[in-house]
Each structure stands twice: as structure tokens, then as C-alpha cells.
Amino acid sequence: MPTGTGRAPLEAGVAHDATPRHDPAGAPGTGSVARSARELGRPATIRDVAALAGVSHQTVHRFLQGYEGIRPATRERVVDALAALEYRPNLTARSLTTGQSLRLGALTHELDQFGPSKIIQGATQAARDAGYVLDIVSLDMGDPDEIAEALEMLTRHDLAGVLALASNDHMAQAFDAADFRVPTFLAGEEDDFASEHPSQLTRVGFPALIAHLADLGHRRLLHIAGPAAWSAARNRARAFQAAVAAHGLESVGVVHGDWSARSGYRAMSELPARPGFTAVVAGNDQMALGALLALQERGLRIPDDVSVTGVDDIPDAAYFSPPLTTLGVDFVAQGRRAVEHLLARIADQQPADDDTLPSQLVVRRSTGPAPMVGSGKPASAVR
Amino acid sequence: MPTGTGRAPLEAGVAHDATPRHDPAGAPGTGSVARSARELGRPATIRDVAALAGVSHQTVHRFLQGYEGIRPATRERVVDALAALEYRPNLTARSLTTGQSLRLGALTHELDQFGPSKIIQGATQAARDAGYVLDIVSLDMGDPDEIAEALEMLTRHDLAGVLALASNDHMAQAFDAADFRVPTFLAGEEDDFASEHPSQLTRVGFPALIAHLADLGHRRLLHIAGPAAWSAARNRARAFQAAVAAHGLESVGVVHGDWSARSGYRAMSELPARPGFTAVVAGNDQMALGALLALQERGLRIPDDVSVTGVDDIPDAAYFSPPLTTLGVDFVAQGRRAVEHLLARIADQQPADDDTLPSQLVVRRSTGPAPMVGSGKPASAVR
DNA sequence: CGGAGGCTTGTTACCGGTCACATTCACGGT
DNA sequence: ACCGTGAATGTGACCGGTAACAAGCCTCCG
């Protein structure tokens, strides 16, 4: 009863109301102000809170905004009323007036792949930390209509910004063509060789990987690349070639897969009987897995006869047979960073020009000394 | 994060900001009606369209609702105006009045796991087909505060419903405790042994798998289960035991992993030197992968000495060394079905009582005849 | 020829939170 | 005592789409 019973400037208005959309079924004393969440048959609004606290809705609003200039007595009544009615702000209403929303759209595809799903994971985390949620639309690439439709859908839901993750060229094109009327950010590996800030994967990772192979005596390498339409695949292929050249080694070719183990297997199966390489550098771990199996089925021992490496360091890679030497990539951080960039753009700030993400060489048992050519004894040293 | 954003508390004092919310900057003949999207400095509303078409906003609204009773002449003007202004409905405004939104919340975790990410993929597809988007919040389980915070966030964004995917008990508890004020659906494998409709995985898959092993002469089996807190893990463990009993075989034990290859590896490493089983049935493919490696490192040949199976049939499983015998699970369909259930619940309809999803035995090279006991060939190959 | 009744179309209010501006109140200075 | 000033609070309008109801117009029939 701290609410002075008599004072109710709003009661007049309440009487008028006559047709409340939501019938206050639960309210016993008709016309009275709801005292608890249960008396209200619906979520409480700031006006409900205001009525209970005996203040204007604007005062409640101010409190919610963190405004300091409210007298302690008033403030206390507001606080109590908010609690009693279990008030929760309605973000829809808020974004209608402010034109701002706490949602980010995220376009993605191949969500079952390790990279994209990790990126999404990082992105949702970063979004949540900033108070946003991610509206995810995952596309099956291929059907242009479907892409257009999905984009169209995103434009309706008013979003603070849109993120495209895991970029391949089709996605990028569709994304560019779409008319979002909000900030956008195209995440995923950029085109390192067109950028001033090549990723660490290119600058550090691949050189380290190739150096590792060179140290082991490998001279002739084969690369299994991802699909040419993916910038990540192109980056990796070019990074491979650059590093090979830098070490004075020889690339005996680049074959393309589709990131899957199946495609890695195929790539190896289709090779001539007498491969001219001693090491295979796959563009990701899955293709490396497929390559591993194909090579083994041909009677080659890993790493005694051929060394194999991957990229990504997926959790399973440590348990392949043999465990895979690979390059670690921090996808979660990638997703996180993408969201941060987007948020910065939304706030019209310059994004922190963070360093590119670390890429670490993880040496396991799938790489070993190159077999000695001509000599009777192929390397038998284990590990 | 407290209520308000960091924004300056009410710039009331800053005086007449003189900024009309939307400055009709582009309109040349002031007061005239915008004739094109460009003349309007902002997205067109139905009132803009109405003004251009020379009708009331309600007429435009009716057209958009698909109302038939509009005179052809009127209709045509509306159509033209809509096109000229590139009108796009504002879903925020719509959901404010209708109280309905075209968004579904999705709680998930371990998004990098194959199952959950596939489920999400299916869910986003189904959601999109129905015109919804999925707001995804992925949790790191473990920190209860974080869970609560994430749930809280979901309750603010008004959603048509909330889905919890990939259920383990912590998630389920938090979910139950949360006060969403909308329909919810807890997806993922249900507790088959508490349900009238056990999944096909339980009813068909595991029996087929065990039958397969029995046919090969295996008598003593070991199960590597997922974490006990996951209903899927419990289901699979019980399905395993039930099927083993049904075939008169013997379970030599159930050890628990955490779904990861690492845990499968560990489980096998910790076994006594002379395992009392001839086949290992892992609760998922990743644990099977780890088991494969651990067994091989002990000098056991797969499948000659020990057979190994998984569950899920992840794409990589076909390229393990050796390729894995496993049970296929249709996660995409699971996600899809979850969304359909939720949507049915939202529409207050009975969901189609669809069949449980098929589960198929995929036989590959990781299973083979049980080694003959006492006969000439014990497993002593020490590499 | 007038009015009932059906089609079309227009008017007004409302959702819940925010904004611009108005009003009230307390208090100090002259 | 009076006014100015700033602090605290209140009022009304607005965002864009929707709902309920009203009004205008036309047709048909007695």
C-alpha cells in the first residue's frame, strides 16, 4: 500500500478505456491497478508499471534508461512496481520507434562443415555478448531463386546489420547484389593476395608447414585444393605455391576437391600409379583424411612413403590414422571478429584494426622424413 | 549488462535537437507526394504508398493482405505505387500490433558437433520454408549464469516460439525453468525408454547393428557411451543393452566418453591389456575414431582382431582407416521436424504424428568376423 | 422513386516504447 | 514577496501496420 491509494491521475483514463484488447480477466477489483504480474493477463508494459508506481510512463522510461535525476522516493516505487509486475521490455516496440534493432542477420551455408559451424559459434557468442541475437539463414547454394528469396526475407526483418559467413563466390555475388539497407560485412577468409593484410595462415602458417616438410627432406609436393569458387581455397592454394617457391621446392600440381573426405580420396585415387611427390598438402583436414585412406589402400605407408598434411586442425585430426599434421585455424575467433567488425560498422566506428588470427603448425605423425630415392631403404624410422 | 545502453541519459537538456526523425530531404516539391523510392529518404510505408496511389492506407493494407474486393482500377494504382516506392513491409511494426512474430528462438550448444549443427541446418531450412527465421543462441554449457542470461535475452526478443536443440539434461533443466511466454519445444532425441514412440534408432538401428555383429560371430561387446547427461547417450546405451540381450550376447561393459574422438581414444587406452571383447560399439562416430586409433596403437588389427562400430554416419566415417560401420541418423530431418512441431504448437494444432526417422545400418570395413578363440590366430601382431 | 443491403473505401484508435516539449515544484537571489 | 532557474515529472504525439467501425456508393427490389 505504499502506493497512496487515492492518488491516481490515470484512473480517469482507465475508465475510458472500455475496450481493452486484452481482457484483464484476472483482475478482481475492476478498474483498479494491477498489483502483480498475475493480475495482468499479459506482459506488463511501462504504463502498467507507471500506474502501479503512481508515476507517469515517462518516469518509468527514464528509470529504464538509467537516468539519474529521479528522486529516491520515486525511484523506489518504480523499482518495486517493475519487480511486482515482472516487467520485461518489449524489444519490438523499442525497435519500431528507434529504428534500431538488436538483431543481426547471418547468411551461411554448409553449416555442417567444421569451419562454418565454428564461425557461427563464435559469431553467436560475440553477438550475445553485445546484446544481439543472430538471425541465421542457411542457404543451399545452387538455386539462385532460393538465395534471392532468403535475402529478401532478411531484408524484411529489420536487422541492425547483415553478416555473410563462409564466403564462396556465389554467396558473395548474391550478397553484393542484394539491397540490404543496413550495414553488411562479408566474413570468411578474404582474398589474401589482394589484401594488404594477408592472414596469418598465409603469412605464417603455410610457410611454417612447408618449411617443416622441407626440413624433412621433401622436394616434390602435391596440393589438394578446395573448390576454386572459395576464396579460402584460392588463398590456401596460392599460399602453398608461394611457400613452395620460397623454399625452392617443387609443386607437382594442384588438384581440386570440394573440401570433403570423399573428394580427397578421389583426388588420390585418380593419380598415376607412380606419384611424383613425397608429400601431400591438403587444403583441409577432411580432404587429408580421404587422401590418407586412398594412399594406404594403394599400399603406401604414411609417413614412411608419403607425408600428408591438412589445414584446420579439426578435433578429429589428432585421431586419424595416423594423427594428422595440420595448421590450426581459429574459426571461433574469426566469427567473433566478423561480428565485432559489423557492430563497429553499425556504430559507424572504425573497427579495431586487430591482428590477423594466429595460425599454428601442429606436427603429428602423418609427416616424416622423405623416403630416400634410389637408396634401397625407404625410411623406416617411426615418428 | 544492466538495462540501459551506454547512451547519454536523455539528452533532454540538449534542447531542440531540430532533427526531424526522417528528413524528407529528397523531396523537391515540398509537400508533394513522393513518386519514387529515391525521393523518399527512407523505406516507404503503406501511407506513402497510399498517398501516391491516392487511396487510404487501409486500402493498401487490404491489398497486401490479399483482399479480393478491390476495384481493378484502384488495385492497379496500388500496385504501381508499391512498385514505384519499392515498398517492403516492416515486420517489426506488424508484430507489434499483431503480437505475432516470424521468429523462432533456438537454443543450442556444441554447435561444432556434427549432430547439433546438422539439426540446426534442418531447422533453419524448415523455418525458412515457413517464412520464419531462427534466432540462434548458442550456449557454452557449464556456466549457469550464462544460460540464464541467454534465456533472458530470448524472452525479450519477442518470438513466436522457442526451440531447444541437442538436449542434454542441463539444457533441459534450464529450459524448463525459464519463463518463456510462448510455445516451446525441446528437440533432440527423446527418452526412448520413457516414450511410446521409441526412435527408429532404438527400434531398428541398434537391433540391426547388433544382429550384424552377432552374425559375424561376436559374443562379447563393449559399449562406449556418450555423457550420461545426454538423453541421446542414454538412449543409445539402453538400446545397445536391449539389443545385446535380445540376441543372447554379452555386454562386457559400458564406458562413458564425451562424444569426442579423444574420449574414445582414452576409453580404449585405459582398458586392461587383455580385453574381453571382440567388438566395440561406440555411441558416435567420433568416439569410434578415437577407439580405432587406440586399438591400432595396441597392435590390434581392425577388423581382424576387433570390430568397431559408430553411430551417426558422419561424412568422414566412410574414410576412416578402416572405413567405419555405423548407423545412419538423419539429423537434418530431426531439426526440420522439431521446427514443424513447434510451428504446429504455435498454430495450436496437433502436429502430424509422423513416423520416427529412419535409421540405417551402413556396413563398412571396420567390422568383420570375430577372431576365433583358441584357434591358430590370437591377436599378437605387434606391428 | 426510395430505401435496404452489399461492395468499396475511409477514419480513427491502438500496440509499447521513445521523443520533444510542457508543466510543476523547490529553492535561492534581490 | 517575486521571479528566475534548474530539477523532477507529466503530456501528447509518433513509429508502421492492424483492427474495428463508419461512411460513401451502387444496385436491386418493392
Side-chain angles (χ1 to χ4, degrees), chain B residues 54-373:
Chain B
V55 300
S56 78
H57 65 101
Q58 189 60 226
T59 298
V60 177
H61 172 60
R62 290 195 183 101
F63 172 79
L64 293 172
Q65 297 289 309
Y67 178 64
E68 295 293 335
I70 300 179
R71 260 187 310 200
T74 311
R75 169 177 296 261
E76 192 185 341
R77 292 211 309 279
V78 172
V79 170
D80 292 347
L82 285 168
L85 296 179
E86 295 177 27
Y87 172 80
R88 294 189 202 162
N90 178 330
L91 289 189
T92 301
R94 176 176 306 174
S95 62
L96 178 58
T97 38
T98 59
Q100 300 186 338
S101 76
L102 291 175
R103 294 191 159 88
L104 302 178
L107 267 178
T108 181
H109 57 139
E110 331 250 339
L111 237 192
D112 50 321
Q113 299 273 346
F114 180 74
S117 69
K118 269 294 194 193
I119 291 179
I120 285 285
Q121 198 181 344
T124 57
Q125 279 173 17
R128 184 153 50 81
D129 289 349
Y132 285 74
V133 295
L134 225 50
D135 286 4
I136 296 194
V137 175
S138 79
L139 302 172
D140 291 333
M141 302 307 301
D143 182 358
D145 284 352
E146 190 186 309
I147 299 178
E149 192 191 328
L151 295 178
E152 172 67 21
M153 242 184 75
L154 275 185
T155 62
R156 291 154 124 83
H157 292 262
D158 70 359
L159 303 166
V162 179
L163 209 58
L165 299 169
S167 60
N168 70 18
D169 295 347
H170 302 109
M171 175 80 106
Q173 278 167 22
F175 191 67
D176 284 344
D179 173 25
F180 303 107
R181 296 161 175 176
V182 293
T184 59
F185 185 75
L186 217 165
E189 284 177 40
E190 296 149 43
D191 228 323
D192 274 352
F193 291 82
S195 152
E196 307 127 40
H197 298 295
S199 65
Q200 284 236 21
L201 189 64
T202 291
R203 284 211 329 272
V204 181
F206 266 93
L209 176 66
I210 302 301
H212 167 65
L213 291 173
D215 287 349
L216 290 170
H218 296 275
R219 295 278 87 109
R220 299 164 64 82
L221 314 179
L222 178 77
H223 182 54
I224 309 180
W230 286 62
S231 60
R234 293 193 299 268
N235 276 342
R236 292 172 183 192
R238 296 192 55 174
F240 165 79
Q241 286 168 323
V244 163
H247 283 84
L249 307 186
E250 183 183 347
S251 162
V252 301
V254 173
V255 296
H256 280 272
D258 64 5
W259 296 131
S260 71
R262 174 196 191 82
S263 69
Y265 181 87
R266 285 226 181 130
M268 286 301 100
S269 309
E270 289 165 359
L271 288 177
R274 226 177 154 348
F277 53 83
T278 60
V280 176
V281 176
N284 73 349
D285 291 344
Q286 334 255 339
M287 293 194 295
L289 174 65
L292 237 33
L293 181 65
L295 293 169
Q296 287 167 337
E297 286 183 355
R298 288 180 139 200
L300 297 168
R301 292 159 303 160
I302 318 289
D304 310 276
D305 300 321
V306 182
S307 286
V308 175
T309 68
V311 178
D312 284 354
D313 193 21
I314 65 175
D316 287 356
Y319 298 90
F320 288 174
S321 303
L324 190 69
T325 294
T326 186
L327 287 173
V329 175
D330 193 344
F331 287 111
V332 171
Q334 243 179 66
R336 177 172 283 283
R337 206 180 51 170
V339 166
E340 283 160 5
H341 270 250
L342 179 59
L343 290 176
R345 194 168 295 187
I346 288 169
D348 213 11
Q349 295 166 354
Q350 203 56 27
D353 200 23
D354 39 21
D355 289 323
T356 54
L357 302 165
S359 166
Q360 203 168 7
L361 175 64
V362 182
V363 177
R364 300 205 183 92
R365 305 206 300 265
S366 70
T367 48
M372 278 173 276
V373 202

Side-chain angles (χ1 to χ4, degrees), chain A residues 88 92 103 124 128 132-136 138 146 153 155 158 179 262 286 296-297 316 321 365, chain B residues 88 92 103 124 128 132-136 138 146 153 155 158 179 286 296-297 316 321 365:
Chain A
R88 293 188 201 162
T92 301
R103 295 193 159 88
T124 57
R128 183 151 50 81
Y132 285 74
V133 295
L134 226 49
D135 286 3
I136 296 194
S138 78
E146 190 187 308
M153 242 184 75
T155 63
D158 71 359
D179 174 23
R262 175 196 191 81
Q286 336 254 340
Q296 287 168 338
E297 287 183 354
D316 288 356
S321 302
R365 305 206 300 265
Chain B
R88 294 189 202 162
T92 301
R103 294 191 159 88
T124 57
R128 184 153 50 81
Y132 285 74
V133 295
L134 225 50
D135 286 4
I136 296 194
S138 79
E146 190 186 309
M153 242 184 75
T155 62
D158 70 359
D179 173 25
Q286 334 255 339
Q296 287 167 337
E297 286 183 355
D316 287 356
S321 303
R365 305 206 300 265

Side-chain angles (χ1 to χ4, degrees), chain A residues 175-358:
Chain A
F175 191 67
D176 285 346
D179 174 23
F180 302 108
R181 297 160 176 175
V182 292
T184 58
F185 186 74
L186 218 166
E189 284 178 39
E190 297 148 42
D191 228 323
D192 274 353
F193 292 83
S195 151
E196 308 128 40
H197 298 296
S199 65
Q200 284 236 22
L201 188 64
T202 291
R203 286 210 328 272
V204 181
F206 266 94
L209 175 67
I210 302 301
H212 166 66
L213 291 172
D215 288 349
L216 290 169
H218 295 275
R219 295 278 85 113
R220 300 164 63 83
L221 314 179
L222 177 78
H223 182 53
I224 310 179
W230 286 62
S231 60
R234 292 193 300 267
N235 276 343
R236 293 172 181 192
R238 297 190 55 174
F240 165 79
Q241 286 168 322
V244 162
H247 282 85
L249 307 184
E250 184 184 346
S251 163
V252 302
V254 173
V255 296
H256 280 271
D258 64 4
W259 296 131
S260 72
R262 175 196 191 81
S263 69
Y265 181 87
R266 284 226 182 132
M268 285 302 101
S269 310
E270 289 165 359
L271 287 177
R274 225 176 156 348
F277 53 83
T278 61
V280 175
V281 176
N284 74 349
D285 291 345
Q286 336 254 340
M287 294 193 295
L289 174 66
L292 238 33
L293 181 65
L295 292 169
Q296 287 168 338
E297 287 183 354
R298 290 178 139 202
L300 296 169
R301 290 160 303 158
I302 318 289
D304 311 278
D305 299 322
V306 182
S307 287
V308 175
T309 69
V311 178
D312 284 355
D313 193 20
I314 65 175
D316 288 356
Y319 299 90
F320 289 175
S321 302
L324 189 70
T325 294
T326 186
L327 287 173
V329 175
D330 193 344
F331 288 111
V332 171
Q334 241 180 69
R336 179 172 280 282
R337 206 180 53 171
V339 166
E340 283 160 5
H341 271 250
L342 179 59
L343 290 176
R345 194 168 293 187
I346 288 169
D348 212 10
Q349 295 167 351
Q350 203 56 26
D353 199 24
D354 40 20
D355 290 323
T356 54
L357 302 164

